[in-house]
Amino acid sequence: MATTKARFASRKFTFVLWIFVVALISIAAFFAFSQSIESTDKLLQSARRSFQRNEFEEALQFTRTILKREPDNSDARWIAGRSCLRLKQYSEAVHDLNLISLESPQGVDARLLAAEILHYHLYLFDEAEQAYRAVLRQDVMNPTANNGLARLLAVCGRRSEALPMILLLVKQQQASDLLMVLARESGSINDADLLERAHLAAPDAAGPLLGLARLADLRQQTSEAAELCRQAVRKSPNLLAAHVDLGRYLLQLNQYEELNSWRRNLPPDSASSAEIQKVIGFIELHLGHSREALTAFLAAAQSAPDSRNLCYQISRLLQAAGDFAASQVYAEQLENIRRLHDAQDRVLFLADPSDVASLIEMIAAFERCGRLLEAYGWTQMACDRFPRNAVLQQLKLRLASETELLNPELVPKSANPAFEFAGNHYDFPKTAVTGTDEFATTEIVENPPTGISFSEDSAELGLRFRFENGGILRRRMFEFNGGGVGAEDLDRDGYPDIVFSQGGDWELRGTSENTRDVIFRNVRGSRFEDVSNVSSFGGTDYGQGVAIGDIDQDGFPDILVAQIGSAKLWMNLGDGTFRDPGPCPITHLSAEPWLTSCAIADLNQDSLPDIYLAGYLSGVDVFDRVCLNSNGDPEACFPTLFPGEADDMLLNDGCGGFVNASSRLPDSVAEGKGLGVLVFDPEGTGAAGLYVANDTTPNSLLTLSATTGLWGDNAFASGAAVSGLGKSEGSMGIALGDADADGIPDLVVTNFLNEGSAFYRGLGNSSYRDDRQRSGLQEPSLSVLGFGIQFLDANLDGNPELFVSNGHIDDLTHQGKPYQMPAQLFTIQAGHFRLLKPDQLGSYFGTNHLGRAVAKIDWNVDGKPDLILGNLQEPSVILTNTSKSSGKPLQIQLISLRSNREAVCASVTCQSGTRNQVQQLTAGDGYQCSNEKLITFGVQGTDTVDVLSIHWPSGYVQEFHNVPLSIRIAIVEGRANLFALPN
């Protein structure tokens, strides 16, 4: 019994001991656990203190200790990630930040910081984009993520994807400089250094490739841009933006065969892309599928209502379909976009940063385009800049109310006309608006078979003239246009004379102390003599364009000089002298209207020569303002900073005076900024039309309504107002000729640097198509800034050449832009332009110049056309044609009896075998010049012309058969005989 009790007591003791031990272990474990928790808190506190003291390595050590125990500790990860960032351990920072759950308190901030590091430090754009988008999936309204992703997309040229984010920020009243990305259809953030770093960091990433392609395109390296996009498509075949940009560049390069493959391989979601639809529209247009093109363009315009080329193409197609009201809607939309761009330029390049009125004007221009959110965004920034301006504050309140319910899109659907029309509802007749004809690309002709050359021997001939552009070069706007040049036989001795307008010292203009305009008399084709004084000719105002024409129809040509402030007409008395009848009756609001090119021709078909004067810029400080570049250095201002100067039309009253009929001109000429003028017959009826080349505003094509007596502007409807992409360009010179040998006159217009000269190919019925790319004219004209331009048949082979005089308006060589530039000469065959090598053309072509006006003349009466060139900062030049003739000339002077004596707008057809050549006699003649009124044909392989027909402005048609070549003849309207002139 005792033993049993002892055993029981022993077991009881063991059990109690076991419980005690377990309790001790539990207490120890609890104590250890408690100590562990306390240690983590203390470590976090230490890490925070170290981070706040900028002791980032110590902070990182504390957090690493914690994370070994607790890998999911978001507090420690947050401190670790930021410490790595401060220590520039960027990859480690991203690793820590990305391990923080988005659902944790620091999750969104951590992912945003990771995105920023990937974006701006590691340059891993794809990963940065993923991080930004991860935050936006969690919080679509997050302003930091929207801002960061918008900037990343914008630097890669992905504007359409960035657009809704930028507008969302506006709705959140966080407008910023990102609005600049939306300002232009091609808007982006141009950061070459960032893109190069991103491409180096991730060569397989598509985003940097697209950004680099955009920069290459800006450098006019479109082939390189296309290749970069091909790489992007290969690396990211599902990235729609890569397909978009590749299609756009292939379109610029006219690579339609590759575009067919591009179209077949588009991603499944491509139908929703406005840019894709735009490219498809141009492909369909190229194929002649008008309905399909219009459908695609309208689909694109639903998302891209700010696209100029979409507005232009839609308007043209709607017009071709006969819906003129709808066409006008898009014409007005295009004009609103142009006005908006002008207003933006005045703000962005403003000399006076305190000009609130220009800001308000720009905001109103956004509203006119239906772009209310952008208007609101710019108002926000304007209010930040001018917080006490009551007008801006009221504007901000109104726009806040009007945009409150709008979706983040450029134009609300209710204000976007693209939703009102359906392309498949229209039937299209066969029209010349579209076409599939192909043109060759430009090539430098290594060994031209033409034998074309010119000699520059002005000084030897006594032609010594230098245009003085205002005294000391201060980069004022008027200093860059140059003067005018005119050619005509003023004394009727059979040899054409030359007129130059002079600028002189700006401060001395209009006084006897200033230099004068000049006449050089041609001394029987051997030399030139300055006869300005003995002829009583020469104004002292600041001269611009020159026009020569027989105002009083006495057989002796008179001289018109356009000037800054006035225009002066010099009446030829027929005895070698001129009479100054006083200033022309121009009416302008400007104290000193800036008149550039001018023309003398019968404009209203009453047989009396009238006057047209192109107005350029106006504004109270247009002659004084000097703009500054980003370094604070002076440079020429943009024309968009100034209003346009109205044109003038002066109608001959038949009694020695003029009636100012400018009120009969359309409003467009009051807003245009005219530099070049051409009077010709656009419709083949003999009636005069006027083509005006405007600088940064749409060009004008003016025709007179016989019923109303008013002039209308048909340039937009004709296709010659803007570029084929709908852009108003910096247009200057104009040349008229039949470049494609189809009997229909074509227009070539010189433009600003990097725009390329426009080739408005005549299609008949006063319709034109901009074929500059397909004709081969685009590429060689991109690298120059063109002024004067003339068609001429230099070697008399029956095919025209094209001469262009080039030179910049400002010395921007420090920006890598050319200043002085070479003149260019193109050969043309069936509408193909080929640039000739300068070293085979003569010494003048091998040097650079600041070329301006160009006029045609045959000064030595040898049957071959010569050229007179006006330059800046060097003497004017006469280029004598020394080409080896492959044909024989026929030169024709027209004398009309039933219309204006000089027969301006007459059309002459020269038929030899199966070959027809057609030329018109024009006035104005391009840029501040007046050509010798002589039509020259070159004919090969025969001694006679089979048929020579003249369509006189009166409508009368004459024909002559078997006309001998190598002669000069005068043809009098209605006379059966040809009159030989001295040769």
Side-chain angles (χ1 to χ4, degrees):
M1 187 71 177
T3 302
T4 302
K5 287 182 178 180
R7 288 176 182 165
F8 178 78
S10 174
R11 291 174 181 173
K12 183 176 181 182
F13 174 77
T14 301
F15 178 74
V16 171
L17 182 62
W18 182 79
I19 292 176
F20 179 72
V21 170
V22 170
L24 285 176
I25 292 172
S26 299
I27 292 170
F30 177 76
F31 178 77
F33 178 73
S34 300
Q35 288 294 103
S36 174
I37 293 175
E38 183 180 358
S39 176
T40 298
D41 289 340
K42 287 182 178 180
L43 287 171
L44 276 173
Q45 291 175 9
S46 298
R48 291 191 181 102
R49 282 195 298 268
S50 296
F51 186 85
Q52 291 167 358
R53 292 196 296 262
N54 296 329
E55 298 169 352
F56 304 118
E57 290 186 358
E58 289 81 354
L60 191 59
Q61 290 175 1
F62 288 128
T63 57
R64 292 294 179 232
T65 301
I66 297 169
L67 292 171
K68 285 180 181 177
R69 303 172 184 173
E70 303 176 32
D72 294 331
N73 191 307
S74 59
D75 293 318
R77 289 283 180 199
W78 179 232
I79 298 172
R82 289 182 295 156
S83 297
C84 287
L85 172 60
R86 298 298 186 88
L87 294 169
K88 297 185 178 181
Q89 299 173 7
Y90 299 125
S91 297
E92 291 84 351
V94 171
H95 175 76
D96 280 310
L97 295 168
N98 280 341
L99 288 175
I100 300 174
S101 170
L102 268 172
E103 285 71 26
S104 68
Q106 306 92 342
V108 168
D109 290 337
R111 202 58 54 88
L112 286 172
L113 185 56
E116 182 180 329
I117 296 169
L118 290 163
H119 189 171
Y120 295 108
H121 296 291
L122 292 174
Y123 313 112
L124 298 173
F125 282 10
D126 286 355
E127 289 86 341
E129 180 178 347
Q130 293 171 14
Y132 285 129
R133 291 194 185 279
V135 174
L136 291 174
R137 284 193 294 271
Q138 187 86 357
D139 177 13
V140 71
M141 305 295 288
N142 188 284
T144 306
N146 277 300
N147 180 76
L149 183 54
R151 292 184 185 278
L152 187 149
L153 294 172
V155 84
C156 295
R158 297 162 63 180
R159 173 183 181 262
S160 62
E161 296 175 73
L163 186 151
M165 301 166 194
I166 298 171
L167 294 179
L168 186 61
L169 290 168
V170 170
K171 289 178 67 68
Q172 296 172 335
Q173 298 194 43
Q174 297 197 35
S176 70
D177 62 321
L178 277 171
L179 284 172
M180 293 286 293
V181 175
L182 306 188
R184 291 290 201 269
E185 181 186 354
S186 58
S188 62
I189 296 175
N190 298 325
D191 193 333
D193 181 66
L194 182 61
L195 287 167
E196 291 288 356
R197 290 172 182 268
H199 181 52
L200 186 64
D204 289 337
L209 288 171
L210 298 181
L212 292 170
R214 186 65 62 100
L215 294 180
D217 185 46
L218 290 175
R219 298 191 302 267
Q220 308 301 327
Q221 298 169 341
T222 310
S223 296
E224 179 184 336
E227 179 54 35
L228 288 167
C229 289
R230 291 187 190 99
Q231 296 176 33
V233 168
R234 288 195 293 269
K235 296 176 186 302
S236 299
N238 292 322
L239 181 62
L240 190 58
H243 292 270
V244 165
D245 284 355
L246 176 58
R248 189 162 54 85
Y249 298 135
L250 291 176
L251 197 63
Q252 291 181 34
L253 294 167
N254 293 306
Q255 299 291 334
Y256 284 98
E257 185 174 345
E258 186 175 350
L259 277 168
N260 290 331
S261 173
W262 167 89
R263 187 174 183 178
R264 289 192 299 270
N265 294 299
L266 287 172
D269 58 342
S270 61
S272 61
S273 167
E275 292 95 339
I276 292 289
Q277 290 301 317
K278 186 192 299 185
V279 176
I280 289 174
F282 277 107
I283 294 173
E284 297 290 357
L285 197 66
H286 172 78
L287 296 172
H289 302 159
S290 298
R291 180 185 298 177
E292 291 79 0
L294 179 58
T295 301
F297 286 145
L298 286 169
Q302 290 180 357
S303 300
D306 62 323
S307 172
R308 285 180 304 197
N309 55 1
L310 280 177
C311 291
Y312 178 70
Q313 296 299 340
I314 292 171
S315 179
R316 295 278 286 148
L317 286 166
L318 288 170
Q319 184 185 45
D323 193 339
F324 300 107
S327 173
Q328 186 59 29
V329 169
Y330 274 94
E332 292 172 358
Q333 188 166 325
L334 180 64
E335 178 62 11
N336 283 336
I337 294 172
R338 183 194 67 78
R339 291 172 184 269
L340 170 60
H341 289 178
D342 285 355
Q344 288 172 339
D345 286 346
R346 284 191 286 274
V347 170
L348 301 178
F349 304 104
L350 201 59
D352 181 6
S354 64
D355 188 354
V356 179
S358 293
L359 273 169
I360 294 174
E361 180 186 350
M362 183 186 73
I363 292 166
F366 272 110
E367 289 193 81
R368 283 194 298 270
C369 290
R371 296 162 66 170
L372 298 182
L373 278 171
E374 287 171 277
Y376 182 35
W378 284 103
T379 306
Q380 291 173 30
M381 292 198 293
C383 286
D384 291 341
R385 187 173 174 183
F386 304 102
R388 297 183 180 180
N389 187 285
V391 175
L392 286 173
Q393 294 296 336
Q394 289 295 322
L395 187 59
K396 182 179 177 182
L397 288 173
R398 176 174 65 79
L399 288 170
S401 173
E402 292 179 7
T403 59
E404 184 178 3
L405 301 178
L406 293 182
N407 293 322
E409 54 192 359
L410 274 184
V411 176
K413 290 183 175 58
S414 59
N416 188 341
F419 290 94
E420 300 176 17
F421 309 110
N424 56 10
H425 290 172
Y426 290 98
D427 291 322
F428 286 85
K430 287 187 177 181
T431 174
V433 171
T434 62
T436 59
D437 49 320
E438 289 296 324
F439 290 80
T441 57
T442 303
E443 61 185 50
I444 302 294
V445 181
E446 296 294 337
N447 297 297
T450 54
I452 296 174
S453 63
F454 291 84
S455 66
E456 197 283 282
D457 43 14
S458 311
E460 292 83 349
L461 295 173
L463 191 76
R464 296 180 176 90
F465 177 82
R466 179 184 174 115
F467 180 80
E468 303 296 336
N469 62 333
I472 300 173
L473 182 64
R474 301 177 185 172
R475 290 181 169 81
R476 296 169 293 187
M477 292 297 290
F478 65 85
E479 296 175 357
F480 306 108
N481 278 8
V485 179
E488 192 55 84
D489 182 5
L490 298 173
D491 53 6
R492 290 309 191 203
D493 66 350
Y495 295 92
D497 310 299
I498 298 175
V499 179
F500 291 107
S501 68
Q502 181 60 280
D505 191 318
W506 177 251
E507 280 68 30
L508 297 178
R509 65 193 186 279
T511 71
S512 59
E513 299 176 22
N514 199 20
T515 51
R516 307 174 71 88
D517 306 325
V518 176
I519 292 177
F520 283 94
R521 180 174 180 263
N522 187 338
V523 183
R524 300 190 63 79
S526 62
R527 60 186 175 85
F528 288 92
E529 182 180 74
D530 185 345
V531 296
S532 308
N533 290 333
V534 297
S535 65
S536 302
F537 171 82
T540 60
D541 285 296
Y542 196 90
Q544 297 283 265
V546 169
I548 302 177
D550 191 357
I551 287 289
D552 54 6
Q553 302 285 271
D554 64 351
F556 289 93
D558 309 300
I559 302 171
L560 175 68
V561 179
Q563 303 166 333
I564 293 179
S566 64
K568 189 174 286 292
L569 179 64
W570 296 88
M571 301 303 296
N572 190 339
L573 300 180
D575 60 358
T577 65
F578 289 82
R579 178 175 63 89
D580 175 7
C584 296
I586 58 176
T587 56
H588 285 266
L589 295 176
S590 306
E592 285 190 291
W594 188 348
L595 305 173
T596 54
S597 290
C598 51
I600 298 175
D602 177 15
L603 301 177
N604 59 353
Q605 292 186 285
D606 64 355
S607 300
L608 298 173
D610 309 303
I611 290 175
Y612 194 88
L613 295 155
Y616 186 35
L617 303 177
S618 64
V620 292
D621 61 347
V622 67
F623 303 121
D624 301 315
R625 185 189 298 187
V626 176
C627 294
L628 304 177
N629 62 21
S630 56
N631 297 324
D633 299 321
E635 66 179 14
C637 299
F638 289 96
T640 52
L641 300 181
F642 303 95
E645 181 63 81
D647 296 359
D648 269 300
M649 179 177 287
L650 310 179
L651 299 181
N652 195 328
D653 64 6
C655 301
F658 294 90
V659 175
N660 192 307
S662 305
S663 60
R664 303 180 193 176
L665 296 172
D667 292 340
S668 59
V669 301
E671 299 172 353
K673 299 170 183 178
L675 285 177
V677 168
L678 178 76
V679 180
F680 75 115
D681 176 9
E683 299 177 347
T685 62
L690 282 148
Y691 188 78
V692 182
N694 290 311
D695 191 1
T696 71
T697 59
N699 300 326
S700 299
L701 179 57
L702 308 179
T703 55
L704 178 64
S705 169
T707 56
T708 66
L710 301 177
W711 288 77
D713 188 351
N714 301 316
F716 192 89
S718 73
V722 292
S723 75
L725 298 178
K727 181 179 182 292
S728 301
E729 299 180 301
S731 300
M732 282 160 276
I734 313 164
L736 183 80
D738 186 7
D740 51 5
D742 63 354
I744 303 171
D746 310 302
L747 292 164
V748 178
V749 180
T750 55
N751 289 316
F752 204 76
L753 184 70
N754 293 329
E755 289 182 333
S757 294
F759 173 40
Y760 294 114
R761 185 183 181 204
L763 305 172
N765 299 319
S766 193
S767 183
Y768 300 87
R769 183 177 65 208
D770 184 2
D771 273 337
R772 72 182 77 183
Q773 288 185 330
R774 289 184 293 181
S775 69
L777 184 60
Q778 168 85 336
E779 185 177 346
S781 60
L782 285 172
S783 59
V784 293
L785 194 164
F787 276 90
I789 183 170
Q790 295 291 345
F791 281 108
L792 71 161
D793 185 357
N795 60 350
L796 303 177
D797 66 349
N799 294 311
E801 280 75 47
L802 183 72
F803 177 90
V804 187
S805 187
N806 303 304
H808 212 295
I809 62 169
D810 203 355
D811 186 354
L812 302 177
T813 51
H814 61 283
Q815 298 179 12
K817 297 178 181 179
Y819 185 35
Q820 295 175 318
M821 299 174 180
Q824 294 175 310
L825 190 70
F826 296 85
T827 60
I828 311 169
Q829 288 187 336
H832 297 72
F833 293 80
R834 290 181 172 84
L835 182 64
L836 293 174
K837 293 186 69 172
D839 57 358
Q840 301 178 0
L841 298 173
S843 60
Y844 185 83
F845 292 85
T847 54
N848 294 337
H849 313 273
L850 296 180
R852 293 300 185 259
V854 179
K856 281 191 295 190
I857 184 174
D858 180 8
W859 75 268
N860 54 5
V861 196
D862 66 351
K864 294 183 292 188
D866 312 305
L867 295 166
I868 319 164
L869 316 180
N871 296 314
L872 283 182
Q873 299 183 13
E874 64 177 288
S876 297
V877 166
I878 188 164
L879 290 182
T880 301
N881 189 342
T882 55
S883 305
K884 296 178 182 178
S885 300
S886 57
K888 297 178 180 179
L890 174 61
Q891 295 185 313
I892 305 165
Q893 178 184 336
L894 298 176
I895 302 171
S896 176
L897 299 180
R898 305 181 185 183
S899 52
N900 68 93
R901 179 183 176 88
E902 293 175 310
V904 173
C905 294
S907 178
V908 182
T909 302
C910 174
Q911 180 181 341
S912 179
T914 59
R915 177 75 185 277
N916 282 351
Q917 298 181 56
V918 181
Q919 291 188 40
Q920 279 194 29
L921 191 67
T922 61
D925 301 325
Y927 178 75
Q928 298 193 165
C929 68
S930 185
N931 294 334
E932 180 183 6
K933 288 184 172 54
L934 187 70
I935 287 180
T936 300
F937 291 107
V939 182
Q940 294 188 88
T942 182
D943 294 325
T944 60
V945 170
D946 295 339
V947 181
L948 187 69
S949 59
I950 299 93
H951 292 247
W952 297 92
S954 64
Y956 183 67
V957 178
Q958 274 183 280
E959 281 192 357
F960 299 90
H961 297 266
N962 301 316
V963 179
L965 295 170
S966 300
I967 63 170
R968 275 191 168 208
I969 57 174
I971 301 177
V972 180
E973 184 176 14
R975 301 286 175 86
N977 296 325
L978 301 176
F979 298 89
L981 297 173
N983 200 343

